[in-house]
Amino acid sequence: MVDALGAIYGMLVEAVRVARHGQFPANGQVPTLGKRVVAHGNRACRLLETARDQLITEATGTAQGENIGPVVTPEAILIITMERLVRGVYGTGSVDVITILEECLEKLALRVEKHSSRRLLQKLNAFIEEVEVINKVLSQQEHVLCAFRDCLDPKKFKRPTTVRKMRFEYENRGIERILRHIREQMGHCKELRERAKVLALQNVQLVETLADDNSRALFVFTFITVLFLPLSFVAGFFGMNLAGIADTKSRVEHFWYIALPLTAGILILCIMFVAKGEDIWFAIADLPRHWKSMFRDKEKRKEKSNG
């Protein structure tokens, strides 16, 4: 059915090309494009006939050994189509989303064990969101199937016929089979979500452990730096010219007159930025707008005085 729809789409695209070139172009491409349109149309007809035969075969239960009813009805074909969509049937095979998610989660688990990081936590959160989206889609499919079963239920009719009662027995069996598969997938999604949350917590714990190790290493380096800082100061001080600064009349006291106020000023600026750094930044960023407003006020005052 998907291949047939693709062929129909290709036929429409070629038909649009023919319409754009016109009926009698100078380059003579209409016959070639017309042949392409006919070829796509014939292929679509063949694929639609194949899809019809496949749906009838599955509706009669020949393909899976399960009978959907004594007569192939539109309701039975619709149920089979829903089952193919739910099971991810594509061509001659199928696409199992749950298996793909399980493989992805196994790879993430290996990365958590060997290379835990904050970026990996973002990937785990994205995986959880993806599983939740799939779970919502499955819940919507369950809701649609339940509503469709209610529409087919003879008890909902005022005067149900005998044929409707007979057909509903087979139809209900097929819908229940699809619902069991959907609920099983929803259970797998719940399990995958819980496992991903556990991996995310484990990743956070490992990252915090690595951060503690790094903080210890930084503490050791800081301790060594602080330990050698007075020694470096003393070595630098006694390496100076204690008799006075060369080629000047200044003495060593001038060094302290300059160094102490400069050090105190830098410390005060650092403390101010630590305490009120955000407010200072916003004030600096707001200065251009404040100046513009002041300039506009002056312009308005000049206009009023001139008027």
Side-chain angles (χ1 to χ4, degrees):
M1 183 66 73
V2 176
D3 294 335
L5 293 175
I8 293 171
Y9 178 75
M11 181 182 66
L12 294 175
V13 171
E14 296 298 336
V16 171
R17 288 181 180 177
V18 172
R20 286 184 176 179
H21 283 85
Q23 295 182 354
F24 302 102
N27 54 10
Q29 292 183 355
V30 168
T32 304
L33 293 174
K35 289 179 181 178
R36 291 180 183 177
V37 174
V38 174
H40 281 288
N42 293 331
R43 182 170 178 268
C45 291
R46 291 194 302 270
L47 291 172
L48 285 173
E49 291 177 356
T50 303
R52 179 197 61 190
D53 296 336
Q54 290 176 354
L55 288 174
I56 292 174
T57 301
E58 293 185 1
T60 54
T62 306
Q64 297 180 357
E66 296 180 358
N67 193 2
I68 197 64
V71 181
V72 179
T73 61
E75 292 85 0
I77 294 177
L78 183 58
I79 291 172
I80 290 298
T81 305
M82 289 181 178
E83 186 173 6
R84 290 174 66 88
L85 291 173
V86 169
R87 293 185 181 275
V89 178
Y90 180 77
T92 57
S94 61
V95 179
D96 192 356
V97 180
I98 301 300
T99 303
I100 296 173
L101 290 175
E102 288 178 350
E103 292 176 356
C104 292
L105 188 61
E106 289 178 359
K107 292 180 181 180
L108 289 174
L110 290 175
R111 294 188 63 182
V112 168
E113 185 178 356
K114 296 181 179 180
H115 307 286
S116 57
S117 62
R118 291 184 175 89
R119 292 184 179 179
L120 188 57
L121 181 61
Q122 295 178 352
K123 293 183 179 181
L124 286 169
N125 291 330
F127 178 84
I128 294 172
E129 292 178 358
E130 186 174 355
V131 172
E132 289 177 352
V133 170
I134 294 174
N135 190 32
K136 289 180 180 178
V137 173
L138 291 172
S139 63
Q140 291 176 359
Q141 292 178 351
E142 182 184 15
H143 177 72
V144 170
L145 283 170
C146 292
F148 182 61
R149 182 174 58 182
D150 292 338
C151 293
L152 299 177
D153 192 356
K155 296 179 181 179
K156 305 293 182 180
F157 291 75
K158 293 182 178 179
R159 294 180 182 178
T161 61
T162 305
V163 177
R164 175 85 297 243
K165 293 179 180 178
M166 292 176 60
R167 289 179 180 177
F168 181 72
E169 181 181 354
Y170 295 97
E171 293 166 354
N172 187 36
R173 191 183 305 166
I175 292 173
E176 283 293 335
R177 183 170 62 249
I178 302 173
L179 287 174
R180 284 197 300 270
H181 180 73
I182 290 175
R183 287 161 185 165
E184 182 180 354
Q185 285 187 326
M186 291 175 68
H188 288 313
C189 287
K190 183 179 179 180
E191 182 181 354
L192 288 172
R193 187 169 60 248
E194 295 298 328
R195 287 170 57 189
K197 288 181 179 179
V198 172
L199 283 176
L201 180 61
Q202 182 180 357
N203 182 75
V204 170
Q205 293 175 350
L206 291 174
V207 169
E208 290 178 352
T209 302
L210 292 175
D212 291 339
D213 295 339
N214 293 332
S215 63
R216 291 177 182 176
L218 290 175
F219 174 76
V220 172
F221 287 121
T222 304
F223 178 77
I224 293 174
T225 303
V226 172
L227 182 64
F228 281 91
L229 183 61
L231 301 178
S232 301
F233 173 76
V234 172
F237 182 79
F238 283 102
M240 295 170 56
N241 184 9
L242 298 178
I245 300 175
D247 298 330
T248 63
K249 297 180 179 180
S250 302
R251 302 190 62 79
V252 181
E253 291 80 3
H254 289 83
F255 167 78
W256 294 108
Y257 293 156
I258 298 173
L260 290 179
L262 182 63
T263 304
I266 293 174
L267 287 176
I268 291 171
L269 288 176
C270 292
I271 293 171
M272 288 176 60
F273 273 101
V274 169
K276 300 289 183 179
E278 187 175 357
D279 297 336
I280 294 173
W281 172 255
F282 282 122
I284 295 172
D286 194 52
L287 281 177
R289 187 175 60 182
H290 183 65
W291 288 341
K292 288 181 180 179
S293 63
M294 290 177 63
F295 180 75
R296 290 175 184 174
D297 292 339
K298 289 181 179 180
E299 291 293 331
K300 289 180 180 179
R301 291 174 183 175
K302 288 181 180 180
E303 291 177 359
K304 288 181 180 180
S305 61
N306 294 328

